[in-house]
Structure formats: C-alpha cells, structure tokens
Amino acid sequence: MKTITIDPITRLEGHGKISIFLDSKGDVENTYLQIPELRGFERFCQGRRAEEMPQITSRICGVCPVAHHFASTKALDDAFNVEPTSAAKKLRELMYCGYMTYDHILHFYYLAAPDFVVGPDAPPEKRNVLGVIEKAGLEIGKEVIKHRAYGQKITAILGGKATHPVCGLPGGVSKGLSMEEVKEIENMGKSCVEFAKFSLKLFDDIVLKNKNYVDLILSDPYTLKTYNMGLVDKNNKVNFYDGKIRVTDQQGKEFLKFDVKDYYKNIAEHVEEWSYIKFPYLKGIGWKGFKDGKESGIYRVGPLGRLNAADGMSTPLADKEYKKMYETLEGRPVNSTLAFHWARLIELLYAAERTMELIKDAEITSKNIRNPVGEPGEGFGVIEAARGTLIHHYKLDKNGLIDKANLIVATTNNAGAINMSIRDAAKDVIKKGKINDGLLNMVEMAFRAYDPCFACATHTLPGGMPLEVSIYDSNKKLYRSIKRL
Amino acid sequence: MKPGVGIFGFTGCAGCQLEILNLEDILLDLPSVVDIINFRMAKSENLDGPLDISFVEGSIMKYQVGELKKIRKNSKILVAIGSCACYGGVQYLQNFIEKPWKIVYNDKKMKYASPDTKSLSSYVKVDYSLPGCPIDKEEFVDFLKSVLLGRKPKMKSYPICVECKLRENDCLLEKGTICLGPVTVAGCNSKCPNNNYACEGCRGPVEEANISSQAELMKEKGIDPVDLIRRFRMFTSGAKEFQEAKA
C-alpha cells in the first residue's frame, strides 16, 4: 500500500486535456484526463512565515480564494495552538457563506444551466449564459447577476476584497463588523434566501418536469457508485466551515468519521505518470484502479458528496429540499453525477439561511475577535470548498517558518471519479470507431458536474470549456482531435 | 466603429479576468461601448483580431511565448493586468527554486518540463500595466474610460500610504508590522490596511521607491532583515527593485 508523503504536492494549473484510447474494435479502452502544468505552490511555501500562508495559498485560485484562505487560517490556528474566539469563528463562517453563495451561483447559472435550460443538443453558440438569459428572461438574468454580487459584497465587507481577501489570522480575524454592515448583510442575506428558493423552483420546472432530463440524470454513463466524503457537524448535518470528515459507503452508511488530524491515516494518494494531478483514495480500501464500488477506495466530494455523506441540512428550508431530492431520486446515496447540480442549489439555500442565522447572532458585532497565539508546531486545517473537502497541513519550525506543507485540493479528491465519469460518457458515445457528434458535450457534461477547478483557467464561464479531446486508435496513433476553446 | 477588445489569460489564478466579470452592472453596458472580440472565459466565439486593446492576465511559461507574441502582433495597445502579467506573480518564486517536481512527486519521472515563468514584458512590449493581486475593478474602469475618450491614461506615481492616510487608518508601520505601503504604488485605495492587514506590495514598486530607507525604518522597528526580504518576495518578486532589496 502506498503511504502518503508529507512532502509538498503541487496545485495544478492549466487547461483540461482528455485523451481517449480505442481498442482494435474501435471501442473505448481507456481515457486519461491530463493536467500538464505545474505552479509549485507547496514547494515555494517552504521557508515562508506561516502567517503568510492564507495570503499565498489564496492565489492558487481566483475562483475559490476564500476556501484556501480559511483552510490555511484554520491550519494556522492549530499550528500556533490557539483556539479562535467564538465571535471570530462566526465571522469567518459568515464570510464563508458569502463565498459559497457567489461561487455556487457562478457554477449553476453560468456553467451548468446552459446544458439544462438551453439544452444539451442546442448549438454551442446558444449554450452560454446569454442563451440562458434569452430563454429564462432578462429579469432573471439581472437577478442572477445581482445575487452573485451580493455574495461578493458580503465576502468583501469582511475580507476587505472578495478575491484574495485579507481576513483570517491565527486565533481570529483582522476586523469585526459595524452595525451598518450588519444591516447591509442582513438585507442581502434575506434576498439571497428568496433567490435560492427561486433557483430550486427553476430547477424543478425546467429539469425535473422534463422526463428526458430525469432519464439522463439517472442513466448509467452518469452513475458512479463510489464512497462519499464531506464535513459534518455534531448532528451529522452538512457544515462548510467546521466539523469532522465523514465518509459514507454505497449504502449510505457511515464508513469513517475522523478528525482532519488523521487524514493521512485515512487518505492516500496514487500517482499516475501521465498527469500532474494526484488521485486520492481511501487507504483502508486501497487503490484498485479507476473502478467504483465497495472494493475501490475512490470517493467523491463536492455538493453531492457532502449531501450523501451527511444525514441532512441544519437549516429548515434546505433540509426540506434535501429530503425532497432523496425522495425523488430513490434514496440516499444518490449516485448520479448530474445530481451534483441539484445538490449545489440545495447548498445555495443553506448558505443563505446560514448567513441569516449568523448575522442575527448577538455575538456577531463582538469586538473580541482574536486570541493570542501560542508556540509554533504542526497544524491541520479542513474546510468544505465549493468543490469539496480541502485540507491544508503545515509543519512549522521553532521560528514559525513553514518546514513542510501539504495541500489536498477539492478537485484532487474528485480526480479519480472525474476520470471515470469521462471514460463512461466516452464509452457511451463512441462505438466501433464511430464518433457521435454529441461526444464533446456529453463528455463535458460528465466533467462539468464536478465543477472542476484544475485551474481556474479551466473554469470557463458560458459556453465551451477550453478542452482538447484526442482520440487514439489501437496502435496509439492519433485518430482524431477535437479542440474547443 | 467601437474599439475591439480582447481579454486573455495565461498562467495564474484567473482572478483578474474574473474581476472584470465581477463588474456586474457595468458589465452589461460594456458591449455598448466596446466590441469584445476575444474573451474566452466569457464567450464561445472568439477571434484573433484585429484588436484595439488587449488586456492580458497571467505570467508566461516558455511554451506560451508564441501565443503572447501573436496577441501583441494583433493589438494596438497591450495592457498587462495583475501582478502575474506585470511581475510574474507569486509563481515567480519558483524561479528561485531548483527542480520543484522532484520534491513533489518523489522522483517519479514526469513527462513535463520544468516550469519557468516570467512577466509579459520579458517577451513583448507592454504599453500599460494595471498591477494588483487582483487588479482593482475601479482602476480598470477608469483606465478603459480614458482610452475610450482618447486620453492618455494616467498612472499613479504615489505610494499606498497616501491613500491610507486619506482614510485616516491607524498606521500599521508604526505598530511595527512589515507594511510595504511606503514603497508600493497606489491604486487599490489601501484595501488591505483598511482591513487592518499590512500591505504586501502586490501592486509592485512605486516610481522611485526608496527601498533602502524602508529597510532602515523596519530595522529600527526591530524587524528581522530576513523577514523584510521575504516580504519583498511575495507576489511581485519579479520586480527588479523588490528583488534587489537588501536588509
């Protein structure tokens, strides 16, 4: 069994590249998702002041800087042996809900909705957010933009700026909230609750009332029976900011529940020479190749992984929607990759409801926002990024400098599953060397449901992702290449 | 005829391009004043040119040089946006390190070459720079307005401290933290110090930045010289002035 090394792994940057290999009959033998670039974060963090880490690591990603910022801050709390004040924890979580709001809106409306609202077979020039607005109406388009901006504003009020915020410090946060700011956030939060309810209704009307879409969601090429992982609170409800890492099996039963400190006892990473991305798996089960099922250690994270790994949502409206999803899709866990989109909207509602709970908390204007730090040591931080469980692990030397850093990034956790989803979608559309014209989009849909963030650059907004699909024949000779920018 | 605009991204976090998309209300008005010819992050049909203004984000790895030169050739004005394009960004730190992948992948032989990352101006002529990590949305809009009105865009020639003082923030430098406000070019409205967070110099050096006097000042405050050098090498370690900082 491969053991995890605490050596730095490296965050990946670049466009997605998919290689599909055919056998002698012209059927799909294998697919490879490659990430051919490297930026080297964990390496150049060595020797830095630990306090710089929330700033440096947020630069990994322009889409989810807040996730890195706080995973890092939490690792610093632990490394400096300090418990943040109760108010500081609430302020961090509040800011985090703002981030989840804008990120989930971005993904659903800009990236995913073109497939469902405009349709998977619509011409590519219509399959973008403008096509969505055209079909759903300009008023809705304005609401989408407005509420995404609200998420950003909530983040910026607490973080100074929404992209690469400056907020988290070991033991607390840099700034508290004024009464005016509380009022402002409350108004935005209220509106976000309504918008999230509206989004779920839109999903219901356009997707769930269309039998073709429901059939597509439940179809085999879009189904994977993997383990699921996510953070849960003490009642096993979904929590973005804190809790224990819970893994459930193919029957929805708890398989593991552990503190982030024990992540390396439970997760190992498999390296394939053809990609810079590493493939994490459950150590207790082992790496069995790109297979799903009980015998394979591959697991999924992200909105659907989180909902599958929990017993419900802690806020009332989101919990109702949670139950509805499982009733509609025949019980927990749901293994349909395309249900990630539904789960994402349920989480959007949870983020808005949670914003309201936190902003109404009497402690939210407290000035007691930071505790003094202790001696430097080793620290673990975990948070649920929009795309899934994110772990930062640092070892500090006695001067508080980074000796070693290891990051397990959300998308990396999904790497094995994404590779399989791409393979299954490709197998479905390529038969006897005949390449179905819908190939690219069907493959993309499998890929897109995870909201992959191999690079933020791959996080293309409306329309096509920068994606290159190369198809090789049984002699490994390039047979056809399709590029879409 | 509306001027043709292209927005491109190379190696970086895409945060600057996203900041343009985060302009929200203004974004919907943009198409009425400019023709967005190429913005791969936001639209599917993109042309190479001709372009009146190109905004380019990200640092350049060797294999991207050809693509960058093509953009330069097709553009009347080329603007570097963000610290990566202006100075090589945080990943420029990699240039100070040998063989990072060895440590990362336990010597397992990877197919890909060593990364090498530089600013745009290392390879092509850059007409204007809008620094920052990420760029400042308002500064971007001001810049665009100037160009559209045919005015020469005015770049800031004073440090962050000016903006910070105007907001009557408590001076973080006086509290003994390493704040790069005095040597960093203004334009962000001192966002980090406003949030009680010291300036990290993400916008790069101000004209005639007095680095040695900053170093002296920090030493007087009891800051470890190594920490000071480290601070200069964060998001803009590719800037010559910061790279040459001595403590």
Side-chain angles (χ1 to χ4, degrees):
Chain A
M1 194 181 304
K2 198 183 157 316
T3 49
I4 198 165
T5 52
I6 310 299
D7 283 339
I9 62 159
T10 297
R11 154 69 185 159
L12 312 148
E13 160 66 18
H15 298 172
K17 187 178 165 198
I18 297 169
S19 302
I20 301 173
F21 289 88
L22 306 182
D23 61 17
S24 55
K25 288 187 214 124
D27 294 337
V28 172
E29 192 174 66
N30 237 326
T31 55
Y32 298 98
L33 168 72
Q34 288 178 299
I35 308 295
E37 288 170 58
L38 170 92
R39 273 168 86 202
F41 269 90
E42 288 88 341
R43 177 60 188 91
F44 58 64
C45 287
Q46 284 186 340
R48 303 293 312 195
R49 278 249 160 254
E51 295 94 319
E52 297 173 341
M53 292 301 275
Q55 297 318 113
I56 292 181
T57 57
S58 82
R59 266 68 180 187
I60 288 172
C61 177
V63 183
C64 46
V66 188
H68 283 287
H69 183 73
F70 281 137
S72 181
T73 307
K74 288 180 73 183
L76 292 186
D77 293 337
D78 191 26
F80 284 109
N81 297 296
V82 54
E83 182 75 13
T85 68
S86 161
K89 283 188 197 166
K90 287 172 186 167
L91 288 164
R92 289 180 189 176
E93 190 180 349
L94 176 62
M95 179 171 147
Y96 207 72
C97 288
Y99 147 72
M100 275 290 188
T101 301
Y102 78 69
D103 202 337
H104 275 3
I105 292 177
L106 173 78
H107 187 270
F108 182 75
Y109 282 99
Y110 289 63
L111 264 171
D115 289 328
F116 290 109
V117 179
V118 188
D121 307 322
E125 66 272 17
K126 286 277 173 203
R127 247 188 291 117
N128 58 41
V129 74
L130 295 177
V132 173
I133 293 176
E134 202 176 286
K135 191 143 177 195
L138 186 63
E139 283 315 303
I140 291 176
K142 283 186 177 160
E143 288 298 297
V144 171
I145 290 172
K146 184 170 106 185
H147 288 90
R148 203 178 105 72
Y150 281 174
Q152 292 240 329
K153 277 177 192 151
I154 293 170
T155 313
I157 287 172
L158 287 142
K161 45 185 179 161
T163 303
H164 307 324
V166 285
C167 172
L169 298 167
V173 291
S174 65
K175 187 183 141 271
L177 277 183
S178 70
M179 281 314 289
E180 297 84 71
E181 288 168 331
V182 168
K183 198 80 224 142
E184 206 184 338
I185 293 176
E186 198 178 334
N187 288 336
M188 292 190 280
K190 241 185 240 163
S191 188
C192 286
V193 173
E194 293 309 310
F195 178 73
K197 277 156 64 181
F198 161 81
S199 301
L200 278 155
K201 189 172 179 301
L202 185 81
F203 189 81
D204 197 73
D205 288 345
I206 291 180
V207 180
L208 301 177
K209 291 203 172 121
N210 183 329
K211 194 181 171 298
N212 291 340
Y213 285 153
V214 176
D215 288 348
L216 186 69
I217 290 174
L218 294 174
S219 67
D220 271 352
Y222 292 105
T223 300
L224 277 186
K225 291 175 177 147
T226 64
Y227 289 87
N228 287 284
M229 181 187 284
L231 275 183
V232 292
D233 67 14
K234 57 182 187 307
N235 302 316
N236 287 331
K237 301 287 169 76
V238 169
N239 195 291
F240 298 146
Y241 175 75
D242 212 1
K244 286 219 159 53
I245 300 169
R246 190 180 195 217
V247 179
T248 53
D249 67 11
Q250 288 71 5
Q251 275 70 49
K253 287 198 202 86
E254 183 174 303
F255 175 70
L256 285 172
K257 193 169 166 184
F258 56 94
D259 191 89
V260 63
K261 280 184 175 20
D262 294 325
Y263 84 92
Y264 56 88
K265 290 182 192 154
N266 294 297
I267 303 167
E269 290 176 300
H270 172 78
V271 175
E272 291 276 340
E273 295 189 354
W274 42 265
S275 183
Y276 270 137
I277 205 160
K278 289 185 177 187
F279 298 92
Y281 59 95
L282 300 172
K283 214 164 161 178
I285 304 284
W287 176 260
K288 305 283 164 61
F290 293 99
K291 287 185 191 137
D292 63 352
K294 229 176 165 54
E295 308 307 316
S296 166
I298 290 178
Y299 56 89
R300 295 205 276 189
V301 299
L304 187 63
R306 278 192 287 265
L307 267 53
N308 278 338
D311 294 343
M313 313 300 286
S314 72
T315 58
L317 297 174
D319 194 53
K320 230 173 95 189
E321 296 292 338
Y322 175 99
K323 292 198 175 90
K324 183 182 160 187
M325 181 178 92
Y326 286 108
E327 273 159 24
T328 313
L329 298 179
E330 291 151 14
R332 191 170 72 89
V334 164
N335 296 311
S336 316
T337 305
L338 297 176
F340 266 87
H341 300 300
W342 193 349
R344 198 167 280 121
L345 291 179
I346 295 169
E347 289 194 337
L348 177 65
L349 181 55
Y350 166 71
E353 284 186 286
R354 186 74 187 126
T355 300
M356 292 309 288
E357 284 179 359
L358 287 162
I359 201 68
K360 286 181 177 158
D361 192 300
E363 215 179 11
I364 209 76
T365 49
S366 164
K367 300 281 172 262
N368 185 18
I369 55 172
R370 196 175 179 200
N371 278 331
V373 298
E375 290 300 307
E378 185 173 12
F380 300 84
V382 62
I383 205 155
E384 284 295 331
R387 290 152 199 85
T389 315
L390 167 66
I391 297 169
H392 282 213
H393 174 196
Y394 311 143
K395 271 186 184 163
L396 276 52
D397 70 11
K398 61 181 186 339
N399 300 314
L401 303 181
I402 296 290
D403 186 22
K404 281 180 177 172
N406 187 35
L407 315 184
I408 298 186
V409 180
T411 295
T412 310
N413 279 312
N414 269 335
I418 293 173
N419 204 54
M420 287 193 287
S421 288
I422 290 170
R423 177 195 65 200
D424 295 350
K427 277 193 172 167
D428 192 50
V429 285
I430 302 175
K431 293 211 169 106
K432 297 206 167 72
K434 265 197 177 165
I435 296 159
N436 184 312
D437 282 342
L439 163 72
L440 206 53
N441 199 42
M442 296 307 268
V443 175
E444 271 189 56
M445 279 174 73
F447 183 161
R448 191 149 47 218
Y450 296 91
D451 189 9
C453 192
F454 296 118
C456 318
T458 326
H459 209 90
T460 336
L461 296 173
M465 278 193 181
L467 180 71
E468 190 184 335
V469 183
S470 300
I471 300 159
Y472 298 86
D473 65 15
S474 56
N475 301 318
K476 309 270 184 272
K477 250 181 76 185
L478 186 66
Y479 175 68
R480 198 173 153 190
S481 184
I482 309 163
K483 207 171 183 176
R484 181 139 103 216
L485 297 179
Chain B
M1 262 263 287
K2 288 184 281 184
V5 168
I7 298 162
F8 302 90
F10 289 96
T11 299
C13 77
C16 292
Q17 291 184 78
L18 268 168
E19 283 298 283
I20 297 175
L21 282 169
N22 292 345
L23 285 168
E24 284 108 28
D25 301 348
I26 310 169
L27 189 69
L28 292 176
D29 299 330
L30 271 185
S32 62
V33 287
V34 295
D35 234 342
I36 311 271
I37 307 260
N38 192 317
F39 191 2
R40 195 169 71 182
M41 186 187 244
K43 60 196 274 275
S44 8
E45 295 195 338
N46 295 297
L47 304 173
D48 283 346
L51 297 158
D52 291 288
I53 319 168
S54 293
F55 294 98
V56 183
E57 177 205 72
S59 66
I60 303 298
M61 296 171 88
K62 275 200 178 120
Y63 78 94
Q64 295 166 327
V65 174
E67 187 67 20
L68 174 67
K69 288 194 168 157
K70 196 171 91 189
I71 294 169
R72 174 68 269 190
K73 217 177 120 203
N74 292 332
S75 316
K76 279 190 199 147
I77 300 175
L78 187 140
V79 189
I81 56 168
S83 304
C84 296
C86 296
Y87 298 108
V90 69
Q91 61 271 17
Y92 191 90
L93 292 171
Q94 195 151 214
N95 293 338
F96 300 105
I97 296 160
E98 266 183 84
K99 297 185 181 165
W101 66 91
K102 248 188 147 166
I103 294 133
V104 176
Y105 298 96
N106 290 334
D107 264 348
K108 208 163 185 179
K109 213 174 154 209
M110 303 300 286
K111 242 163 111 175
Y112 305 104
S114 157
D116 174 32
T117 171
K118 289 195 172 115
S119 66
L120 304 188
S121 62
S122 309
Y123 298 108
V124 298
K125 179 174 169 265
V126 172
D127 299 298
Y128 295 100
S129 293
L130 294 176
C133 190
I135 53 164
D136 187 85
K137 287 189 273 189
E138 285 168 36
E139 195 181 33
F140 172 82
V141 174
D142 284 347
F143 177 87
L144 192 61
K145 278 186 196 159
S146 296
V147 175
L148 294 179
L149 293 170
R151 285 193 208 134
K152 195 171 158 50
K154 242 181 130 181
M155 308 316 282
K156 308 265 187 324
S157 56
Y158 49 89
I160 302 277
C161 283
V162 174
E163 294 176 334
C164 194
K165 285 273 184 298
L166 278 172
R167 298 182 69 109
E168 300 180 352
N169 291 329
D170 285 346
C171 181
L172 293 164
L173 207 58
E174 275 174 13
K175 288 184 186 164
T177 48
I178 312 181
C179 184
L180 295 189
V183 291
T184 303
V185 65
C188 59
N189 284 314
S190 60
K191 281 201 174 71
C192 297
N194 300 349
N195 227 48
N196 195 24
Y197 222 96
C199 172
E200 289 168 327
C202 78
R203 297 178 53 83
V206 65
E207 262 174 50
E208 296 176 14
N210 195 340
I211 308 277
S212 56
S213 117
Q214 164 100 3
E216 271 313 305
L217 186 71
M218 297 313 315
K219 251 195 265 177
E220 276 167 31
K221 299 270 174 203
I223 299 289
D224 181 345
V226 182
D227 275 336
L228 186 63
I229 299 287
R230 211 177 264 127
R231 182 51 68 95
F232 277 116
R233 290 190 183 179
M234 219 164 157
F235 304 119
T236 44
S237 62
K240 201 166 141 276
E241 296 88 331
F242 284 4
Q243 230 177 74
E244 288 171 357
K246 287 189 191 71

